[in-house]
Structure formats: C-alpha cells, structure tokens
C-alpha cells in the first residue's frame, strides 16, 4: 500500500508546472483609440460581448432596433491587437467581438469583423448588425 502512496507523490512532482508571472500592459502608450460603432439594422434588440479568452468575456451593451452602441477598443498597430481597458487601465486583448439577439445572444451570435493587420492605421469604424432567421449577422 505504501508503494502506491510513494508512486502518487512521484507522479504529482513529475507533472508539476512552473508558474511564470505574467506582466500586464497598463495604460494607452502605443495604443490608438479605435472605437467600433455597432449599428442595429434589425427589428430586434441585440446584445454585444467582447471575449478576452475562452473563459472570460464582458458585455459591451445592448442596442434596440435602429440604435447604436460603441465598443471602446484600442489598437496596437505593432502587433495588430485590439484591446479593451479594465478599471485599472490594464490592456485586455480582445479575441472576439460578437453580437446576438438580446436574451439569447450567445446562441444567436455573429462575429463582428475586426481587421487585425500589424502596422495598419485603423480608426473608428461602423459595423451593421441585423437579425435574420433567428440569428444575427454583422458586416
């Protein structure tokens, strides 16, 4: 029985992972404001979300039919990365930006296209979203 206990201790030590400190970029140095205006051209309210990683997201807002909302994004041209700033001004890289029918946004979502071109000069842009056959469509 003690052999299994020792084997279990070895297995745990052998599969340990080294933890490395991650440094967050803070502030807007090297970033250009690039808000994305999302216009709702459909008959239903839409809700939009930014994903920072597959496990973390934050709601941007809701736009009723015929209204707009603004995703306050920043663009780092050296890497082609879009970021949002949290309350501590930490840069949160945006993996995806999407909108869907309010109340069922995740299941009806459509990606909002983001142009990720390193070295590009990107400024404010407008994207139009609408609902069609129970799903959102953003262009």
């Amino acid at each position: 029985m003690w052999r299994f206990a020792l084997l279990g201790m070895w297995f745990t030590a052998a599969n340990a992972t080294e933890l490395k400190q991650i440094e967050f970029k803070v502030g807007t140095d090297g970033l250009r404001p690039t808000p994305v205006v999302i216009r709702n051209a459909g008959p239903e309210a839409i809700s939009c979300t930014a994903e920072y990683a597959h496990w973390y997201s934050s709601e941007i807002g809701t736009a009723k039919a015929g209204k707009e909302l603004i995703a306050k994004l920043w663009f780092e041209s050296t890497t082609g990365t879009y970021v949002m700033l949290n309350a501590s001004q930490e840069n949160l890289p945006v993996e995806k930006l999407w909108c869907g029918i309010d109340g069922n946004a995740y299941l009806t979502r459509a990606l909002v296209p983001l142009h990720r071109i390193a070295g590009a000069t990107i400024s404010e842009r407008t994207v139009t979203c609408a609902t069609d056959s129970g799903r959102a469509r953003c262009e």
Side-chain angles (χ1 to χ4, degrees):
M1 174 85 94
W2 62 270
R3 289 183 189 173
F4 292 114
L6 290 176
L7 180 61
M9 289 188 324
W10 174 83
F11 183 75
T12 302
N15 291 309
T17 302
E18 179 183 356
L19 297 177
K20 297 179 182 175
Q21 183 165 344
I22 298 172
E23 292 187 34
F24 289 98
K25 291 183 180 181
V26 178
T28 58
D29 285 344
L31 300 177
R32 178 186 179 122
T34 55
V36 176
V37 177
I38 301 168
R39 180 176 295 135
N40 183 357
E44 302 173 83
I46 59 170
S47 180
C48 301
T49 300
E51 284 187 27
Y52 308 116
H54 64 276
W55 66 89
Y56 184 71
S57 63
S58 99
E59 186 174 332
I60 293 170
T62 301
K64 293 181 181 180
K67 300 295 181 182
E68 300 177 339
L69 63 92
I70 298 175
K72 296 177 183 176
L73 301 180
W74 295 77
F75 186 71
E76 184 178 15
S77 64
T78 57
T79 62
T81 303
Y82 285 89
V83 300
M84 290 185 81
L85 303 176
N86 66 11
S88 301
Q89 298 293 297
E90 293 172 327
N91 294 196
L92 303 173
V94 175
E95 258 184 31
K96 297 175 189 170
L97 182 61
W98 52 265
C99 299
I101 299 170
D102 189 38
N104 199 17
Y106 185 78
L107 293 176
T108 61
R109 72 192 180 279
L111 290 178
V112 172
L114 297 175
H115 304 290
R116 301 174 186 275
I117 303 167
T121 302
I122 296 180
S123 57
E124 178 181 314
R125 55 189 286 251
T126 300
V127 173
T128 301
C129 293
T131 55
D132 181 27
S133 301
R135 293 199 58 88
R137 182 178 83 262
C138 298
E139 305 170 329

